[in-house]
Amino acid sequence: DTAVSQTPKYLVTQMGNDKSIKCEQNLGHDTMYWYKQDSKKFLKIMFSYNNKELIINETVPNRFSPKSPDKAHLNLHINSLELGDSAVYFCASSQGWRGDYGYTFGSGTRLTVV
Amino acid sequence: ILNVEQSPQSLHVQEGDSTNFTCSFPSSNFYALHWYRWETAKSPEALFVMTLNGDEKKKGRISATLNTKEGYSYLYIKGSQPEDSATYLCAFLDNFNKFYFGSGTKLNVKP
């Protein structure tokens, strides 16, 4: 049973489209995150939700909107996709909003905008 | 934006060699330092979460030390095996709940 699962694994779409990436965790964690892996392979945090409340909202374009319907799900919706949005997006979860026991990551979604 | 630097960027060792690599981070506003192991085509897996200066943690043949005053952590692998081949990431969490990852050290262990 996958602990943190993301769908889809690969997403190829045209510029200007709107797309969503879904994330679900079955660990009972109370905090979930979205990370973007940039071209230099750094993981950079985008958003964090604790008990469905937004606690971290880094400087990302407004076209990115996270939605957390419950503690086990954190989806990422992207409007008007641009070429520069192409990257690998990772979902993660932790128990506690400081990640004191470490993060558990999903396997990533490779988004390609053409 | 703070810098978390890892060195070396990549490392090739023979099976049985012991190896170590470094994570450097800001020495101010420290909250925690994480180490992750990231195998190709998989997701990062937490190895250690370290919070206290002088902390030493061990999991099997892998161990880590932490020096928060000077801003570095070492990860050691004793008797490397081919299955240790992966990218090892460190991440620094500050007192403002900002989390910064290094770009990783890619380890290749040759049989």
Side-chain angles (χ1 to χ4, degrees), chain A residues 8 14 37 68 107:
Chain A
Q14 290 190 320
Q37 186 179 23
S68 182
S107 55

Side-chain angles (χ1 to χ4, degrees), chain A residues 9 35 37 40-45 48 55-56 58 90 97-108, chain B residues 1 4 31 34 36 38 41-46 49 51 89 93-103:
Chain A
K9 196 169 173 66
Y35 277 86
Q37 186 179 23
K40 294 183 180 179
K41 305 296 184 187
F42 283 97
L43 285 169
K44 293 191 175 174
I45 194 161
S48 172
I55 57 169
I56 294 176
E58 290 299 307
F90 286 91
W97 62 282
R98 302 298 299 261
D100 287 343
Y101 303 100
Y103 290 179
T104 302
F105 283 86
S107 55
Chain B
I1 296 177
V4 175
Y31 180 81
H34 293 205
Y36 290 85
W38 193 356
K42 294 188 178 179
S43 47
E45 172 196 346
V49 175
T51 56
L89 286 178
L93 179 62
D94 69 14
N95 283 324
F96 306 106
N97 200 30
K98 296 289 187 183
F99 207 64
Y100 303 95
F101 276 88
S103 59

